Amino acid sequence: QVQLVESGGGSVQAGGSLRLSCADSGVQYGRKCVGWFRQAPGKEREGVAVIDTGGGSPSYADFVKGRFTISQDNAKNTVYLQMGSLKPGDTAMYYCAAEYPNWYIRTSCGLGSAAFDYWGQGTQVTVSS
């Protein structure tokens, strides 16, 4: 029902920028949470940013706040992650994920990965010094 396809990863120098895209080609539309997560070798997966596609304010992890921006184009069913001022510590595999909450119970989107039901294949981001 949900097919997430990420793109936009690559290799950049420290201080550079990248824009990641997450397109949902599935048939289940409507208000949902779409998050970006990352995982580096030997480290646990961590939340980066999340957006409520119904118009709620996005949330960011402290380590990217002020550098990364999450946005959406609902007409294209696509969520973006604009990454600026990249650091070597940002090097990781980046994944997008989707959650369809019960909106009678939930009122916002969070960065807890256990809540997300569908995951993309990941796109590699490498930042060199």
Side-chain angles (χ1 to χ4, degrees):
Q1 292 182 329
V2 177
Q3 295 178 265
L4 304 178
V5 180
E6 298 119 319
S7 61
S11 298
V12 297
Q13 297 254 323
S17 300
L18 284 173
R19 188 193 193 193
L20 307 183
S21 299
C22 176
D24 184 355
S25 61
V27 298
Q28 186 171 333
Y29 295 91
R31 184 185 181 191
K32 61 183 180 291
C33 303
V34 178
W36 284 97
F37 301 81
R38 70 187 190 185
Q39 187 167 22
K43 296 185 177 180
E44 293 187 348
R45 183 173 58 201
E46 57 187 357
V48 176
V50 64
I51 192 168
D52 177 350
T53 65
S57 299
S59 297
Y60 300 93
D62 288 341
F63 56 81
V64 301
K65 193 171 296 184
R67 299 190 296 123
F68 292 8
T69 301
I70 189 169
S71 61
Q72 65 181 3
D73 184 343
N74 281 340
K76 297 181 178 180
N77 205 26
T78 300
V79 172
Y80 304 95
L81 184 68
Q82 180 68 48
M83 305 185 294
S85 300
L86 284 163
K87 307 173 182 179
D90 295 319
T91 296
M93 184 72 74
Y94 283 71
Y95 301 89
C96 67
E99 177 195 7
Y100 289 85
N102 182 339
W103 293 108
Y104 289 100
I105 300 173
R106 292 274 302 279
T107 59
S108 62
C109 300
L111 281 171
S113 61
F116 288 78
D117 303 300
Y118 304 96
W119 294 79
Q121 81 288 349
T123 184
Q124 179 67 40
V125 172
T126 302
V127 185
S128 62
S129 60

